Amino acid sequence: MRQIAYLVREAVTNIRINRTTTLIAVATTAFTLACFGVFLLLYLNLKGMARSLQDDIKAIVYLNDGLTAQGVSDLQSRIKADQEVASLSYVSKEQALADFRTQFPSESHLLQGLGENPLPASFVVTLSPKFRSSEAVRRWAERLRAVPGVAHVQYSREWIENLATVLGYIELAAVAVGTILSVASVTIIASTIRLTLYARRDEIEIMRLIGATGSFIKIPYLLEGAALGALGGALALMLLKSGFEFFKLQLGAPGRFLGIESGFGFFPARISLLMVLAGLLLGSAGSFVSLIEFKGAKP
Amino acid sequence: MIQLFHVSKYYDRRPALSNINLQIEKGEFVLLVGPSGAGKTTLLKLLFCAEHPDDGQILVQNRNVARLRPSDVPYLRRTMGIVFQDFRLLPKKNVFENVALPLMVQGASAFETRRKVTEALKAVGIEHRKESRPALLSAGEQQRVCIARAIVNGPIILLADEPTGNMDPDLAGEIMELFKMIHARGTTVMVATHNRQVVEQVGRRVVMLNEGKLVSDKGAGQ
């Protein structure tokens, strides 16, 4: 217990003595993790948004004109029986016209000259979550098109798939940027620890000569690196949170109007903790690298 | 206790020690003498594993130090006390903390540490300066602290490299009296020196080195 207290005390002393290099190392780690955090935040929010959009995916089955009430009812039963269909609602020709007039009041005069209602009756189908992939929806739509009474099946799947592709790119960019900056962070923390080791080489030599084991000598430096990394992680979180709040503030009214703002969220506690942990691991790795290179820590 | 068989050590192909054969029994007091560059420091370094021989074998407490695994070296050093000419004290720690270090690395309890450190400081007559930083001490006081650190753990062997270098004769005499006191407790003591006065004062076994060769060994068995 006394040994542990001594090792922790030594690590704290190291940090206190080398204030400038400590600050640089903490700032670098914070910058690294903040950059990575921006990508992660973007990725998680877009992913959440994509998921909520996917929940809203609907297909519209347009019906041939002149279909009898019995025909509509039979077709409804037929479509409902498909395992791809979660629910459906019928929109009559009259309802479609009324909806058009409500949604586009300034364009309603376009329909007046036609005399007869040109809008078809339709079923608005909510697809079952298990069958929302592009391929599943395409197969189902093709099958349905062959059913008598069905004029056309419309679904807007592609852009959701495009969003998934964009998300994939963001994920890739986050990994690439994270990797590059992690290497930079490890290198800078390693340099910080190396400077400390160099400044205290006489002390390390004395410790070796009085019978200190390699781990007894190394542990304070590993703790120092871990502490620097964890501090960097915490600082990165603070930076990200401030940036996030600022962004939300800037988004303001337009964001609320578009319904974007409510969908945005900061990291959950678990990911915030992982961020600090990532800093801690980066810092430990930096220390480890410098200790491997430092011959003075060997007997 | 210490045995060297045909030991040689080279630095850049230049021999620092050549074919040294030496045997030191338990409880002996040996003075290692010779001019600067004779190989005294190298020989001591070989004994506490700061260097490894290029040829020959070295047994310390029946362990072949040339074949010792790096992880075992700290444990061998814990059975030894080492005193340096330049004291090698940690400047940011006070006298008590410096002397307590060997106990700290071994995980001794706070109570045991306090008892042993106080005992060692009393033995070398520096207890009154236990709160001071090394920079505030005189050379003689710093050497006393260094000796206290070397004996705090009750070592079997005490190795000292020019412990009286740069000291006036009176101070050197006081330091050597401390070594005699430690030896009287049963510790094997080996002191490297080029100080003639020290040799005369101690009057024990004298091993002389010159240009890396053992040129004389007088008073063995005393």
Side-chain angles (χ1 to χ4, degrees), chain A residues 2-3 6 9-10 17 203 205-213 216 299, chain B residues 70 74-75 77-78 84 88 90 93 101 104-105 107-110 113 149:
Chain A
R2 269 187 86 223
Q3 273 184 317
Y6 174 84
R9 214 167 42 238
E10 285 298 294
I17 291 171
E203 195 173 319
E205 168 79 6
I206 293 165
M207 297 298 282
R208 285 173 49 220
L209 293 177
I210 60 169
T213 56
F216 190 89
Chain B
Y75 300 97
R77 286 179 182 155
R78 289 177 188 184
F84 307 94
R88 306 236 186 142
L90 299 184
K93 296 195 187 296
L101 269 178
M104 180 61 77
V105 300
S109 69
T113 303
R149 185 181 63 190

Side-chain angles (χ1 to χ4, degrees), chain A residues 216-285:
Chain A
F216 190 89
I217 292 169
K218 288 171 186 171
I219 285 171
Y221 299 99
L222 281 174
L223 289 178
E224 184 186 347
L228 295 188
L231 278 173
L235 185 64
L237 265 185
M238 283 195 278
L239 287 173
L240 283 171
K241 180 71 179 162
S242 314
F244 178 77
E245 291 303 329
F246 179 75
F247 176 71
K248 259 178 96 169
L249 206 69
Q250 292 296 307
L251 207 61
R256 271 194 297 279
F257 176 74
L258 291 168
I260 296 171
E261 194 201 43
S262 59
F264 273 158
F266 195 64
F267 294 132
R270 191 172 54 89
I271 293 189
S272 300
L273 200 71
L274 281 176
M275 199 95 158
V276 178
L277 195 69
L280 190 142
L281 289 175
L282 283 178
S284 308

Side-chain angles (χ1 to χ4, degrees), chain B:
Chain B
M1 178 61 62
I2 299 171
Q3 291 164 292
L4 286 86
F5 302 103
H6 308 289
V7 172
S8 295
K9 176 72 187 171
Y10 302 91
Y11 292 118
D12 296 329
R13 294 185 185 173
R14 195 183 63 82
L17 287 174
S18 295
N19 196 30
I20 303 290
N21 288 290
L22 185 65
Q23 199 155 337
I24 295 166
E25 300 300 330
K26 188 170 183 262
E28 267 198 283
F29 193 127
V30 180
L31 289 171
L32 199 58
V33 300
S36 294
K40 306 187 293 291
T41 301
T42 304
L43 199 150
L44 292 183
K45 279 184 172 175
L46 290 174
L47 297 182
F48 60 79
C49 297
E51 297 284 359
H52 292 281
D54 292 313
D55 288 314
Q57 304 297 328
I58 301 172
L59 297 181
V60 177
Q61 299 168 67
N62 294 322
R63 295 165 85 182
N64 191 336
V65 297
R67 289 190 193 156
L68 215 55
R69 285 183 308 176
S71 57
D72 288 332
V73 171
Y75 300 97
L76 176 80
R77 286 179 182 155
R78 289 177 188 184
T79 65
M80 298 175 170
I82 307 168
V83 178
F84 307 94
Q85 182 180 358
D86 57 357
F87 323 127
R88 306 236 186 142
L89 301 172
L90 299 184
K92 292 187 183 76
K93 296 195 187 296
N94 66 25
V95 166
F96 186 95
E97 289 165 338
N98 265 288
V99 176
L101 269 178
L103 299 167
M104 180 61 77
V105 300
Q106 291 181 48
S109 69
F111 174 77
E112 193 185 0
T113 303
R114 203 174 311 115
R115 184 178 64 79
K116 286 189 171 177
V117 172
T118 307
E119 212 171 84
L121 290 174
K122 267 186 190 164
V124 299
I126 196 87
E127 201 200 0
H128 60 290
R129 303 300 305 265
K130 67 179 179 187
E131 301 292 339
S132 305
R133 293 281 171 102
L136 300 173
L137 304 178
S138 68
E141 286 174 324
Q142 288 192 56
Q143 193 56 291
R144 282 170 193 270
V145 177
C146 184
I147 293 169
R149 185 181 63 190
I151 63 169
V152 72
N153 217 13
I156 300 164
I157 302 166
L158 185 76
L159 304 173
D161 190 10
E162 301 282 6
T164 59
N166 307 324
M167 285 184 189
D168 64 58
D170 288 347
L171 202 52
E174 283 176 27
I175 296 297
M176 289 317 294
E177 283 306 316
L178 286 177
F179 285 119
K180 281 163 87 172
M181 180 264 291
I182 294 161
H183 173 245
R185 293 172 171 186
T187 308
T188 306
V189 179
M190 196 167 179
V191 178
T193 182
H194 62 266
N195 188 331
R196 280 177 190 278
Q197 186 214 338
V198 164
V199 179
E200 284 158 16
Q201 181 190 351
V202 176
R204 305 278 172 155
R205 181 178 173 188
V206 179
V207 173
M208 182 177 268
L209 294 175
N210 194 19
E211 293 181 348
K213 295 189 180 87
L214 199 157
V215 290
S216 75
D217 186 353
K218 291 176 189 165
Q222 283 188 46

